[in-house]
């Protein structure tokens, strides 16, 4: 923990972490709030699912696009525009009665305009700390984001059920505007400029490291989404058990990130961390009869999640030019969103077919596939032990007079 204390004493680090977590807090509330609001308004979970699908498609499409825009127009302009549009779309969803098509349209707009805060902050990190601090900072960031997934769903559920879904959506708008303004006005956002990328859009995805980070992120988040569906199916909606189990899952990730974030990242780091996730999720299949058994196995699985995400962020940072980092993180985010949709869908079909155990088998399969990919492609992962994880500087010819 001494390393993290030193890290947080670095000027600007604690502020930018707090600002970006606040700005990203709506990410843990929006899907659930839209689901509850549209279901209550239309009386149909199917309609709510269509609106959520539209929002998810929008997010997946927009991630790399808006992230790349930051190198063209600057971070503050892109973040301000996307925050304003996203807040307006959610405000319309909350206050304007409309047919299903209207809800789907504004859900799509909200997804397309999701502010690329995650890409922005991970592009900023290498510019505010030294090379020795960068890997622990990525790990701390991956760990602390679990706070969003622990607190945000609980908060929006309480507000939506006690004060109404309209109030819940208005709360999201308040976080979007307030948290977004705090992050956008942070000095670091104004000081760091992303050079315009000279490569065609999407070319960065052809880099083996970025592709590996996108694929492993897809499989890891697919496993997590399948677990969430399985826990809800196992313990039901009515009591606190499902929420407690998912909180323990997230606490495992938080503990893993804080405990192992200082460990240097070698080629086998991703394989080891995804293997921990796979072992924990596979064990869950055989412990479904016990609340504490499920909790313990998911805590074990969680220990590998934040450290695995930290590897993705660090290896991407160290392997691309600074002008390409934001777009690279956008593609990784898109892979994770698609993984979340795939994991939820697979778990849903298996729950209908064989019961809750099917969701855990799906989760274990995603995690095992991730570990296999990491092992099979181990030579494609960079060895960052004793190496600077900062992005590759952008260089260009300098004209000289001869």
């Amino acid at each position: 923990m001494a390393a993290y204390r030193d890290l947080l004493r670095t000027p600007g680090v604690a502020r930018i972490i707090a600002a970006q977590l606040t700005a990203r807090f709506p990410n843990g509330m929006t899907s659930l709030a839209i689901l509850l609001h549209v279901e209550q308004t239309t009386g149909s979970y199917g309609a709510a699912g269509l609106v959520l699908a539209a929002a998810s498609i929008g997010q997946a499409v927009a991630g790399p696009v808006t992230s790349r825009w930051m190198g063209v127009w600057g971070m503050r302009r892109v973040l301000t525009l996307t925050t304003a549009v996203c807040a307006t779309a959610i405000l319309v969803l909350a206050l304007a009665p409309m047919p299903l098509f209207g809800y789907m349209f504004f859900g799509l707009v909200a997804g397309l305009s999701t502010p690329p805060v995650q890409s922005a902050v991970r592009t900023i990190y290498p510019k505010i700390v030294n090379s020795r601090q960068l890997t622990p900072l990525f790990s701390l960031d991956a760990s602390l984001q679990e706070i969003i997934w622990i607190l945000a769903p609980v908060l929006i559920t309480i507000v939506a059920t006690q004060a109404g879904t309209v109030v819940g959506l208005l709360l999201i708008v308040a976080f979007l505007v307030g948290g977004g303004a705090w992050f956008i006005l942070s000095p670091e956002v104004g000081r760091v400029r992303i050079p315009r990328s000279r490569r065609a859009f999407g070319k960065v995805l052809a880099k083996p490291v970025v592709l590996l980070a996108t694929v492993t992120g897809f499989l890891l988040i697919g496993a997590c989404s399948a677990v969430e569906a399985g826990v809800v199916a196992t313990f039901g909606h009515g009591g606190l058990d499902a929420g407690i189990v998912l909180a323990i899952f997230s606490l495992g990730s938080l503990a893993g990130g804080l405990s192992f974030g200082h460990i240097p990242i070698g080629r086998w780091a991703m394989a080891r961390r995804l293997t921990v996730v796979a072992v924990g999720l596979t064990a869950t299949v055989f412990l479904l009869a016990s609340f504490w058994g499920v909790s313990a196995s998911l805590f074990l699985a969680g220990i590998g999640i934040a450290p695995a995400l930290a590897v993705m962020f660090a290896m991407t940072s160290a392997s691309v030019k600074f002008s390409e980092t934001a777009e690279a993180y956008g593609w990784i985010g898109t892979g994770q969103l698609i993984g979340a949709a795939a994991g939820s869908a697979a778990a849903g079909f298996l729950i209908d077919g064989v019961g809750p155990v099917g969701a855990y088998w799906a989760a274990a399969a995603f995690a095992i596939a991730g570990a296999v990919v990491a092992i099979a492609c181990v030579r494609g992962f960079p060895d960052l032990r004793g190496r600077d994880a900062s992005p590759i500087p952008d260089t260009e010819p300098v004209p000289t007079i001869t």
Side-chain angles (χ1 to χ4, degrees):
M1 298 304 295
Y4 294 121
R5 283 196 299 270
D6 292 342
L7 184 60
L8 292 173
R9 290 192 187 110
T10 303
V13 170
R15 178 179 58 239
I16 200 72
I17 288 176
Q20 64 97 5
L21 285 175
T22 306
R24 289 169 56 200
F25 202 72
N27 293 356
M29 300 192 290
T30 304
S31 294
L32 184 54
I34 290 176
L35 176 71
L36 294 171
H37 181 70
V38 176
E39 189 279 328
Q40 188 177 93
T41 304
T42 64
S44 168
Y45 276 106
L50 289 173
V51 177
L52 278 183
S56 297
I57 291 170
Q59 281 185 286
V61 170
V65 176
T66 55
S67 296
R68 186 181 174 92
W69 283 353
M70 291 191 290
V72 179
W73 295 306
M75 281 193 278
R76 277 185 167 159
R77 288 182 180 177
V78 173
L79 289 167
T80 300
L81 174 63
T82 52
T83 298
V85 173
C86 188
T88 301
I90 293 175
L91 201 61
V92 173
L93 284 172
L95 301 178
M98 61 188 90
L100 176 59
F101 175 78
Y103 284 118
M104 291 179 64
F105 174 77
F106 283 101
L108 177 65
V109 171
L112 287 169
S113 58
T114 300
V117 174
Q118 186 168 250
S119 297
V121 75
R122 287 170 186 157
T123 302
I124 290 170
Y125 283 156
K127 299 300 181 182
I128 62 174
V129 297
N130 60 46
S131 58
R132 178 180 56 83
Q133 295 174 309
L134 187 54
T135 296
L137 179 54
F138 279 128
S139 183
L140 181 63
D141 176 89
S143 302
L144 292 180
Q145 74 177 4
E146 294 298 335
I147 295 171
I148 297 173
W149 307 112
I150 294 171
L151 297 181
V154 175
L155 175 61
I156 198 63
T157 299
I158 292 172
V159 172
T161 54
Q162 300 302 314
T165 56
V166 171
V167 176
L169 289 171
L170 293 179
L171 177 64
I172 291 171
V173 173
F175 268 105
L176 267 173
V177 175
W182 185 13
F183 180 72
I184 291 166
L185 295 175
S186 297
E188 295 76 17
V189 176
R191 283 199 296 264
V192 176
R193 294 196 60 182
I194 304 172
R196 184 191 293 261
S197 176
R198 297 182 179 276
R199 303 184 73 195
F201 176 71
K203 284 285 187 179
V204 70
L205 194 59
K207 287 183 174 288
V209 168
V210 178
L211 184 60
L212 276 173
T214 302
V215 171
T216 52
F218 164 85
L219 293 168
L220 176 62
I221 302 304
C224 294
S225 294
V227 165
E228 291 171 3
V231 168
V232 171
T234 302
F235 297 102
H237 300 268
L240 295 175
D241 286 357
I244 292 172
V245 171
L246 290 175
I248 290 171
F249 187 37
S250 294
L251 286 172
S253 178
L254 179 61
L258 295 178
S259 299
F260 304 116
H262 64 286
I263 297 176
I265 294 173
R267 293 187 187 277
W268 287 94
M270 181 67 81
R272 286 194 296 267
R273 297 170 193 209
L274 288 181
T275 298
V276 171
V277 179
V279 169
L281 294 184
T282 302
T284 307
V285 175
F286 304 99
L287 296 170
L288 288 182
S290 166
F291 171 87
W292 291 113
V294 171
S295 299
S297 61
L298 289 183
F299 184 85
L300 172 62
I303 287 173
I305 293 173
L309 291 171
V311 174
M312 292 177 205
F313 306 148
M315 74 187 210
T316 301
S317 173
S319 304
V320 300
K321 290 184 177 180
F322 182 59
S323 60
E324 298 173 325
T325 52
E327 184 187 343
Y329 288 128
W331 283 111
I332 293 169
T334 291
Q336 292 176 0
L337 283 168
I338 296 172
S344 296
F349 282 117
L350 288 169
I351 290 168
D352 288 341
V354 300
V357 68
Y360 298 102
W361 276 121
F366 272 98
I368 292 169
V372 168
V373 168
I375 293 168
C377 302
V378 68
R379 292 185 178 277
F381 290 90
D383 188 345
L384 302 181
R385 292 172 296 182
R387 177 183 160 191
D388 187 354
S390 300
I392 301 167
D394 286 87
T395 57
E396 59 183 17
V398 177
T400 58
I401 299 174
T402 58

